[in-house]
Amino acid sequence: VTGEFLHLPGGPVGVALGVNLRKEYAALRYDSGRQQGRLGFAGRALPGEGERDILSGFSELQLPILETLDVQLALRYEDYDAFTTTDPKFGVNWRPLDSLAIRGTYGTAFRAPTIAQTVSTALTTFTAQTRDTHLPAGAPADPGTFRTVNIVPNPDLGPEQSTNYNFGITWQAI
């Protein structure tokens, strides 16, 4: 839902609101012939599947405080099966001169783990060569060790999170 309401000295206030409900499902399947070919160093992958429901909502405001000053406010909320996240964004655009604009934003964001990383029943096993990268100076190089690596889902895995800043100046010769 979008629209305008109220008027500030710079113009009408813009607003946007939204809600979303989605279901995600993923399945990993192998036929028996292909699975046999994955044994040995290449590893083995067991089939699996998973699903999750995600509820989200957002709101945004465009506030024209003055003809030369705009402020944007936004908020997004997401509820996954294993975690929730709330991410704001705040932005300012100031035009002190016809030829000069100064803008900046601050916000947080996230990237959710995949179904395979959290709620799937899949399992992947492979062999990898590992090396010690923290050897003392002058020590002989580590030839490496082969180790078995198992990748299994973690239902407690949360999102990757970030904080974002943006600043810019635009100058146009008139």
Side-chain angles (χ1 to χ4, degrees):
V1 176
T2 63
E4 296 177 352
F5 73 102
L6 300 175
H7 282 306
L8 295 176
V13 173
V15 65
L17 301 169
V19 171
N20 181 37
L21 175 62
R22 67 185 187 269
K23 180 182 240 12
E24 293 181 347
Y25 170 80
L28 179 63
R29 294 185 172 64
Y30 296 100
D31 64 35
S32 60
R34 185 166 182 99
Q35 182 61 36
Q36 291 291 12
R38 299 231 22 219
L39 298 174
F41 263 148
R44 180 178 180 94
L46 298 178
E49 60 185 276
E51 66 181 22
R52 63 184 173 194
D53 296 323
I54 302 153
L55 173 65
S56 64
F58 71 90
S59 61
E60 298 179 19
L61 279 175
Q62 172 74 23
L63 303 168
I65 307 295
L66 303 169
E67 287 188 19
T68 60
L69 178 65
D70 296 320
V71 174
Q72 300 88 33
L73 303 172
L75 187 66
R76 182 168 188 84
Y77 170 82
E78 296 227 16
D79 183 355
Y80 284 71
D81 293 335
F83 65 89
T84 63
T85 181
T86 303
D87 294 291
K89 183 177 177 183
F90 173 75
V92 175
N93 189 355
W94 178 43
R95 298 165 307 282
L97 305 170
D98 288 342
S99 59
L100 178 67
I102 301 169
R103 67 191 177 285
T105 61
Y106 163 83
T108 63
F110 79 99
R111 184 175 76 160
T114 67
I115 290 176
Q117 294 170 322
T118 56
V119 298
S120 173
T121 56
L123 167 69
T124 303
T125 301
F126 60 93
T127 303
Q129 185 177 19
T130 59
R131 298 180 188 275
D132 185 352
T133 59
H134 301 290
L135 293 174
D142 181 5
T145 303
F146 286 95
R147 296 193 173 140
T148 300
V149 177
N150 291 320
I151 299 175
V152 296
N154 178 357
D156 297 324
L157 185 63
E160 294 178 9
Q161 297 178 321
S162 67
T163 300
N164 308 289
Y165 304 92
N166 177 26
F167 178 77
I169 297 174
T170 304
W171 179 67
Q172 181 180 2
I174 298 179

